[in-house]
Amino acid sequence: MRSILKTSAAAFTILAATTAGVSAEGLKGDLKIFLDTSNPAPRATMEQAIEGFQKQHPDLNIETTVIDREAYKTQIRNFLTANAPDVATWYAANRMRPYVEAGLFEDVSDLWAEPAIANNLASTKGAMTIDGKQWGVPYTYYQWGVYYRKDIFDELGLTEPTTWEEEKANCQKIVDAGKKCYTIGTKFLWTAGGWFDYVNMRTNGFDFHMQLLTGEASWQSDEVKKTFANWRELIDMGAFIDNHQTYSWQEALPFMVKGDAAAYLMGNFAVAPLRDAGLTDDQLDFYQFVEITPGIEKAEDAPTDTFHIPANAQNKEAAREFLRYVVSPDVQTWINDGSHLGQLPVNSESTVDDDKFLKQGFVMLSSNSPGGVAQFFDRDAPAEMAKVAMEGLQEFMVKPDNLDKILARLDRARERIYK
């Protein structure tokens, strides 16, 4: 879907504080920005942020194209190759590697040499680095965890679990009450990847998880089989909603809203649509995914969303200025606050919004994730391997008896892809 932005007084007022002290001199011509922020709240946020940048640079003609996120994933290589925009959203770590190695992303190490970025974004530099160079900038990151219906927990006399045994005991009581423990939509596969991330990191630890996703460990190893054995305990209990493979993650939300399911393992971006659907903060709460193997340090998924300059961009000067703008402290505070993206700013000089879920996420990621921070299954694994593996994960959730065949197939793919 395409929209040509027109400046609005409202957006200018909202972002007025973020535009002070920045010179508009010299930036002219066209600036084409492609976004995958197609859900309503992220779309409105990014469009207003871009309008704030337009106010700084009135001689620029800014054209923004918004593409459905799932469609964006299939189109990105094509549009980076032909008729590339000047700025494009994407993801950090291994998810950007194919486009770096294909020469489709611009090296922006020069931006990371500037103190305002080098100092204030230092914690995210590793996620943006391949072969010693930086290939984009992050603009938001967010926690994953278990979002749950506190009112249902209260009704059933449940408390937040901290161990796998407590998690299963809670789930059994929820199932006995005629509800499902978890909603999930695996139509687009990645949500199953989230479950695997957590069960595997809690069973075997962060280091093994990364060895598996980078091809060093076997899918048929005893460690991986133990992960699936743990996951199957929930599947065999009937913990997940039926026919989840037919739903997107958004289409799975009503099960939680209506109270047919008690919880959702999801990123913090789920909070806005749950609130929009009528759930109050008295009904919603959050807890960190529980311990499975005692002594394994907790690691978390905290995906980082990014902006890049395509190598074939036509207005790289303006694109670089936009990247500076979007990671600046005030813009970071604004776009990530609870009324906009509802996520965590990447700039260390930004302010975390006074939102209970953001506060919980900030504390969890800053002080209770000693095991490490992963990007997410399909960002830490190469795209080809991630696709094959997530198809297997979805199949396992539907037909767990197929596990041996699935693992053998994934190991064959590993040997082919990582050779």
Side-chain angles (χ1 to χ4, degrees):
M1 182 174 182
R2 168 165 289 197
S3 62
I4 307 301
L5 291 185
K6 293 183 171 61
T7 55
S8 73
F12 290 170
T13 301
I14 291 170
L15 287 177
T18 74
T19 64
V22 180
S23 172
E25 183 180 354
L27 292 187
K28 298 180 180 180
D30 296 330
L31 180 68
K32 297 181 179 180
I33 301 174
F34 277 20
L35 304 174
D36 67 348
T37 52
S38 55
N39 290 324
R43 175 177 179 152
T45 296
M46 296 315 301
E47 289 184 340
Q48 288 183 336
I50 291 168
E51 290 184 12
F53 185 70
Q54 175 76 84
K55 182 181 181 182
Q56 292 183 13
H57 305 288
D59 292 333
L60 275 177
N61 175 40
I62 301 178
E63 180 181 311
T64 298
T65 299
V66 181
I67 302 171
D68 174 79
R69 177 162 284 202
E70 296 304 323
Y72 193 101
K73 294 174 184 178
T74 65
Q75 295 176 21
I76 182 170
R77 183 174 288 273
N78 289 337
F79 69 64
L80 289 177
T81 303
N83 299 317
D86 300 296
V87 175
T89 52
W90 194 237
Y91 314 116
N94 276 331
R95 198 65 188 275
M96 68 180 182
R97 182 177 292 276
Y99 309 109
V100 171
E101 293 180 343
L104 296 174
F105 279 162
E106 173 90 352
D107 175 2
V108 294
S109 301
D110 56 310
L111 294 180
W112 285 86
E114 298 173 3
I117 291 180
N119 297 333
N120 298 335
L121 274 64
S123 64
T124 64
K125 185 176 182 179
M128 304 309 304
T129 300
I130 293 176
D131 296 333
K133 300 176 182 179
Q134 290 73 54
W135 303 94
V137 297
Y139 67 90
T140 188
Y141 76 111
Y142 52 91
Q143 80 268 20
W144 269 64
V146 182
Y147 294 83
Y148 71 98
R149 288 286 301 270
K150 187 177 185 301
D151 53 339
I152 294 176
F153 271 47
D154 290 344
E155 177 186 337
L156 298 177
L158 307 179
T159 57
E160 290 186 2
T162 59
T163 68
W164 191 236
E165 294 306 316
E166 292 172 357
E167 182 82 27
K168 291 186 293 181
N170 277 2
C171 186
Q172 189 61 61
K173 291 179 181 178
I174 293 167
V175 170
D176 290 345
K179 302 178 184 295
K180 295 295 185 178
C181 308
Y182 317 105
T183 190
I184 186 173
T186 64
K187 181 178 179 179
F188 295 114
L189 305 177
W190 55 268
T191 49
W195 267 95
F196 181 83
D197 278 351
Y198 273 97
V199 180
N200 194 43
M201 287 193 292
R202 293 294 191 268
T203 301
N204 298 306
F206 177 82
D207 289 344
F208 177 82
H209 183 68
M210 297 310 296
Q211 289 168 11
L212 182 67
L213 269 57
T214 56
E216 299 173 47
S218 169
W219 282 91
Q220 297 181 89
S221 66
D222 290 341
E223 291 90 345
V224 171
K225 290 178 180 178
K226 179 60 176 174
T227 293
F228 280 100
N230 287 330
W231 194 0
R232 183 163 183 170
E233 289 180 320
L234 297 179
I235 294 170
D236 288 347
M237 290 171 63
F240 299 95
I241 64 169
D242 297 330
N243 301 314
H244 52 77
Q245 70 275 17
T246 66
Y247 302 115
S248 68
W249 77 267
Q250 297 99 323
E251 291 167 340
L253 288 167
F255 292 93
M256 187 168 168
V257 174
K258 295 176 182 178
D260 296 326
Y264 208 164
L265 174 63
M266 187 49 66
N268 197 61
F269 53 81
V271 171
L274 287 170
R275 286 169 169 161
D276 290 344
L279 294 182
T280 68
D281 284 4
D282 290 333
Q283 293 173 290
L284 283 176
D285 215 333
F286 170 89
Y287 63 86
Q288 187 173 17
F289 199 96
V290 299
E291 175 187 84
I292 295 181
T293 301
I296 293 286
E297 291 185 328
K298 288 183 178 177
E300 297 299 321
D301 273 342
T304 303
D305 291 346
T306 53
F307 275 107
H308 302 265
I309 301 173
N312 295 327
Q314 298 299 305
N315 196 343
K316 293 182 181 180
E317 180 186 4
R320 276 175 163 76
E321 193 60 39
F322 179 79
L323 266 56
R324 292 185 184 98
Y325 164 84
V326 82
V327 299
S328 61
D330 289 342
V331 175
Q332 278 291 293
T333 296
W334 186 85
I335 67 175
N336 284 292
D337 70 24
S339 62
H340 296 105
L341 293 184
Q343 298 181 173
L344 296 171
V346 298
N347 192 305
S348 63
E349 293 190 352
S350 299
T351 301
V352 177
D353 190 71
D354 187 19
D355 175 276
K356 78 171 188 176
F357 296 107
L358 293 179
K359 286 182 174 180
Q360 289 182 72
F362 180 76
V363 170
M364 181 181 75
L365 293 175
S366 61
S367 62
N368 200 23
S369 54
V373 174
Q375 283 299 305
F376 196 72
F377 190 95
D378 64 355
R379 305 188 188 193
D380 289 318
E384 184 181 0
M385 186 69 220
K387 180 179 183 298
V388 174
M390 291 190 302
E391 289 171 350
L393 300 179
Q394 183 207 55
E395 180 182 346
F396 169 75
M397 292 190 71
V398 177
K399 299 178 180 178
D401 287 340
N402 288 1
L403 179 61
D404 288 342
K405 294 179 180 179
I406 293 169
L407 296 183
R409 186 169 72 240
L410 297 191
D411 247 356
R412 289 194 298 271
R414 177 179 73 94
E415 292 169 0
R416 182 184 76 252
I417 293 167
Y418 295 99
K419 64 181 179 181

